[in-house]
């Protein structure tokens, strides 16, 4: 008996969490946080849809919060199994989860102050820093790409490079059922080929069943050279009119990639020499230090650039850790390029920079990543004339640039090509995408190719064998 159930990223982008059950073990693949609109985030408070204490293994594909963000909750509710992932993901997940817990504690203190004055109850944070450190104790064996790990007799897992962020993986679980091996492939998040820093995704093996992300299942990205050219154009145009450039940035991969291209632009004279760059994200700074420790994950382009020095360092770059330093940036009225989290503008320091620059027609906001439905980033991208920041209505007068070629997610052609390597899977499950966009577009493509597909609902359970 082999069953698969879907407890996140089902008919939506966020909260990846899948449970594979067989006679030998109960295996969870990812345990992500729901992010986006308030009603979506409220799902973090709902039951998992399974009993955490009964889970034997958690296989973690990568360290983004929507894939690892509920691990402390899982442990709080009784999980005592083993978490298996790659070495870079282990380090990055620790960074991401501790940061998440700190932000939750900070938000809880703020709400508690208001609730105390109003004599109202206030909910506890989803998890605390202390609870997070406790959950990290359950990280066990380290996965190495393309090497089988025996979970139980008759059950093996293999992590293959997904090319998404440092340490990211697709996971193949092979279960021997009635003497016959059944192979289930979990794509995780797949990266686009040809990006700098990390190697391209490894083609997957054939699989009996496959789960594939569909974040950009409805479109093709712009080419990388065109995207870099547009980034330089956005910066040069904004600085020439004495404005600031705000780049909402994901701390893992995107921040490092943008630094890479800013350095390259300065070296080639494609960006002004007087440009001042601020990386205003303690987590992105720490992530950059982790990136430096794993050159074995780098691609040829990155390895070649290392010969000339630090690929993330450029003249005029300032790492900003302290809050006081971050606040001081807002006194700069022109000439600054500010990279700050969060990438979807749902929290973090970027919101303060937006409050000080959105209303300025001479400034620009440059989006270089995915913006989920309901997020502040999506509101701005969709053309909102004003947005609410810290309880204040702020008009959107700044230039808005959306450059999707930098996305760490594979586009439709790459997803389809990756899937073709799986052979004629019995069923392809479409997950991690917007139902009306990526999922339905991929569904149509699979139907054209006579490939059986299924779009699972939340907590739906399917018998595989």
């Amino acid at each position: 008996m082999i069953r698969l159930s879907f407890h996140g990223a089902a008919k939506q982008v966020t909260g990846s969490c899948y449970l594979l059950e067989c006679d030998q073990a109960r295996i969870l693949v990812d345990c992500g946080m729901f992010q986006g609109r308030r009603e979506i985030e409220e799902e973090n408070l709902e039951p998992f849809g399974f009993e955490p204490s009964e889970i034997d293994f958690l296989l973690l594909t990568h360290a983004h919060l929507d894939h690892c963000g509920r691990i402390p909750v899982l442990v709080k509710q009784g999980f005592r199994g083993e978490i298996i992932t790659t070495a870079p993901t282990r380090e990055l997940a620790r960074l991401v989860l501790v940061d998440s817990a700190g932000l939750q504690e900070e938000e809880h203190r703020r709400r508690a102050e208001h609730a105390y004055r109003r004599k109202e109850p206030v909910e506890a944070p989803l998890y605390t820093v202390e609870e997070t450190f406790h959950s990290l104790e359950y990280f066990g064996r380290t996965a190495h790409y393309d090497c089988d790990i025996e979970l139980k007799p008759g059950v093996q897992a293999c992590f293959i490079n997904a090319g998404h962020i440092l340490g990211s993986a697709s996971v193949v679980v092979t279960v021997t059922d009635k003497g016959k091996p059944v192979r289930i492939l979990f794509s995780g998040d797949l990266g686009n080929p040809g990006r700098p820093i990390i190697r391209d995704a490894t083609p997957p093996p054939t699989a009996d069943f496959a789960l594939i992300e569909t974040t950009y299942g409805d479109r093709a990205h712009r080419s990388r050279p065109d995207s870099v050219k547009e980034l330089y154009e956005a910066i040069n145009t904004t600085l020439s009119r004495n404005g600031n450039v705000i780049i909402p940035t994901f701390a893992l991969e995107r921040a490092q990639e943008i630094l890479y291209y800013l350095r390259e632009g300065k070296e080639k004279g494609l960006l002004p020499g007087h440009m001042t760059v601020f990386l205003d994200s303690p987590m992105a700074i720490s992530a950059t230090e982790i990136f430096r420790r794993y050159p074995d994950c780098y691609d040829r382009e990155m390895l070649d650039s290392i010969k000339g020095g630090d690929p993330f360092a450029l003249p005029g770059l300032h790492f900003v850790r302290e809050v006081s330093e971050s606040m001081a940036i807002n006194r700069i009225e022109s000439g600054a390029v500010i990279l700050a989290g969060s990438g979807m503008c749902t929290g973090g320091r970027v919101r303060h920079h937006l409050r000080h620059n959105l209303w300025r027609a001479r400034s620009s906001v440059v989006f270089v990543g995915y913006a989920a439905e309901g997020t502040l980033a999506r509101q701005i991208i969709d053309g909102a004339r004003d947005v609410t920041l810290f309880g204040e209505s702020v008009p959107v007068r700044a230039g808005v640039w959306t450059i999707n070629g930098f996305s760490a997610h594979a586009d439709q052609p790459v997803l389809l090509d990756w899937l073709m390597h799986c052979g004629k899977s019995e069923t392809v499950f479409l997950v991690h995408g917007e139902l009306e966009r990526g999922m339905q577009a991929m569904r149509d493509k699979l139907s054209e190719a006579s490939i059986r597909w299924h779009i699972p609902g939340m907590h739906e359970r399917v018998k595989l064998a």
Side-chain angles (χ1 to χ4, degrees):
M1 180 276 297
I2 305 175
R3 292 186 299 186
L4 179 65
S5 51
F6 304 82
H7 305 284
K11 297 185 179 179
Q12 59 180 313
V13 178
T14 189
S16 290
C17 187
Y18 316 107
L19 176 59
L20 182 64
E21 301 172 89
C22 59
D23 293 334
Q24 301 95 319
R26 292 167 63 87
I27 304 159
L28 203 62
V29 178
D30 288 342
C31 189
M33 182 177 287
F34 294 92
Q35 298 174 289
R37 297 191 307 268
R38 180 178 295 276
E39 56 267 32
I40 293 176
E41 294 185 347
E42 286 176 352
E43 293 188 50
N44 292 311
L45 304 173
E46 297 296 321
F48 280 104
F50 54 84
E51 177 52 55
S53 64
E54 296 177 356
I55 303 301
D56 299 297
F57 301 95
L58 167 57
L59 310 180
L60 180 60
T61 63
H62 66 286
H64 277 149
L65 201 60
D66 64 327
H67 290 257
C68 72
R70 285 197 296 166
I71 289 177
V73 182
L74 190 75
V75 173
K76 279 175 65 175
Q77 295 187 13
F79 172 79
R80 296 297 180 268
E82 181 185 13
I83 302 173
I84 302 175
T85 192
T86 64
T89 295
R90 181 196 299 259
E91 284 202 59
L92 291 171
R94 180 184 186 278
L95 175 67
V96 167
L97 289 171
V98 172
D99 178 77
S100 173
L103 291 174
Q104 290 179 59
E105 288 187 350
E106 182 181 330
E107 177 68 11
H108 175 259
R109 285 191 292 269
R110 186 184 66 80
R111 290 182 177 178
E113 289 176 3
H114 292 289
Y116 177 78
R117 290 195 293 268
R118 297 170 182 167
K119 297 182 179 180
E120 296 174 347
V122 61
E123 289 183 349
L126 192 62
Y127 48 84
T128 65
V129 172
E130 181 180 357
E131 290 166 338
T132 298
F133 278 115
H134 175 60
S135 72
L136 297 175
E137 296 175 6
Y138 292 91
F139 279 75
R141 286 171 286 178
T142 297
H144 301 279
Y145 288 145
D146 307 316
C147 295
D148 287 336
I149 297 176
E150 184 176 67
L151 304 181
K152 293 280 188 177
V155 184
Q156 290 80 38
C158 182
F159 286 62
I160 62 174
N161 177 30
H164 177 59
I165 66 170
L166 187 75
S168 64
S170 302
V171 179
V172 186
V173 179
T174 304
V175 179
T176 300
D177 181 67
K178 298 176 183 177
K180 176 186 175 184
V182 179
R183 186 175 284 169
I184 304 98
L185 173 63
F186 300 83
S187 74
D189 286 355
L190 297 170
N192 263 323
R195 297 165 56 225
I197 304 180
I198 63 171
R199 298 196 301 269
D200 292 348
T202 300
T206 57
D208 300 289
F209 301 92
L211 286 76
I212 188 166
E213 67 125 322
T214 58
T215 310
Y216 286 108
D218 62 333
R219 73 195 80 170
H221 293 320
R222 292 191 65 183
S223 72
R224 185 55 51 120
D226 285 347
S227 298
V228 174
K229 181 179 179 181
E230 188 175 4
L231 173 66
Y232 294 166
E233 180 186 354
I235 293 172
N236 286 321
T237 298
T238 307
L239 298 186
S240 69
R241 62 179 184 236
N242 297 317
N244 292 325
V245 179
I246 312 300
I247 307 179
T249 313
F250 296 100
L252 310 186
E253 199 71 35
R254 195 61 40 79
Q256 293 76 32
E257 190 170 337
I258 297 301
L259 287 179
Y260 180 98
Y261 283 122
L262 294 181
R263 175 194 58 78
E264 191 173 66
K266 271 200 170 188
E267 288 179 353
K268 294 181 177 179
L270 300 173
L271 292 172
H274 66 274
M275 177 181 71
T276 303
V277 180
F278 297 93
L279 181 57
D280 187 12
S281 169
M283 186 163 70
I285 295 167
S286 296
T288 302
E289 294 168 354
I290 293 172
F291 269 68
R292 291 186 175 114
R293 291 202 285 271
Y294 290 96
D296 56 316
C297 293
Y298 296 168
D299 64 8
R300 176 52 53 190
E301 185 179 359
M302 182 68 165
L303 290 172
D304 289 343
S305 71
I306 289 175
K307 297 174 184 177
D310 188 342
F312 301 121
L314 64 151
L317 172 62
H318 300 272
F319 285 155
V320 181
R321 287 190 181 272
E322 301 300 324
V323 173
S324 59
E325 296 175 316
S326 177
M327 294 172 64
I329 297 173
N330 288 320
R331 294 197 290 270
I332 300 174
E333 295 191 0
S334 65
V337 176
I338 305 165
L339 284 67
S342 68
M344 297 192 200
C345 308
T346 53
R349 296 180 179 181
V350 74
R351 293 170 68 90
H352 294 276
H353 298 307
L354 290 174
R355 182 173 66 175
H356 284 84
N357 286 276
L358 268 180
W359 58 272
R360 293 174 172 164
R362 62 188 185 185
S363 290
S364 292
V365 184
V366 181
F367 292 99
V368 291
Y370 180 76
E373 187 178 355
T375 61
L376 176 60
R378 177 65 75 86
Q379 292 176 38
I380 296 172
I381 290 170
D382 287 346
R385 294 186 177 182
D386 54 73
V387 295
T388 301
L389 284 161
F390 307 103
E392 172 188 347
S393 179
V394 179
V396 180
R397 300 191 186 114
V400 177
W401 301 68
T402 304
I403 311 176
N404 70 12
F406 287 111
S407 177
H409 287 273
D411 61 8
Q412 186 190 77
V414 173
L415 291 172
L416 291 171
D417 180 70
W418 187 89
L419 198 55
M420 291 305 108
H421 284 86
C422 301
K424 201 73 171 181
S425 299
E426 186 172 328
T427 304
V428 174
F429 298 96
L430 305 180
V431 296
H432 198 292
E434 293 181 14
L435 178 61
E436 304 296 329
R437 303 176 69 175
M439 286 187 182
Q440 292 189 358
M442 282 291 287
R443 174 203 65 189
D444 294 343
K445 286 291 184 180
L446 296 183
S447 294
E448 291 173 10
S450 299
I451 296 174
R452 183 181 176 188
W453 55 267
H454 180 62
I455 300 177
M458 190 68 168
H459 302 309
E460 182 177 340
R461 181 173 290 182
V462 178
K463 183 178 179 182
L464 303 185

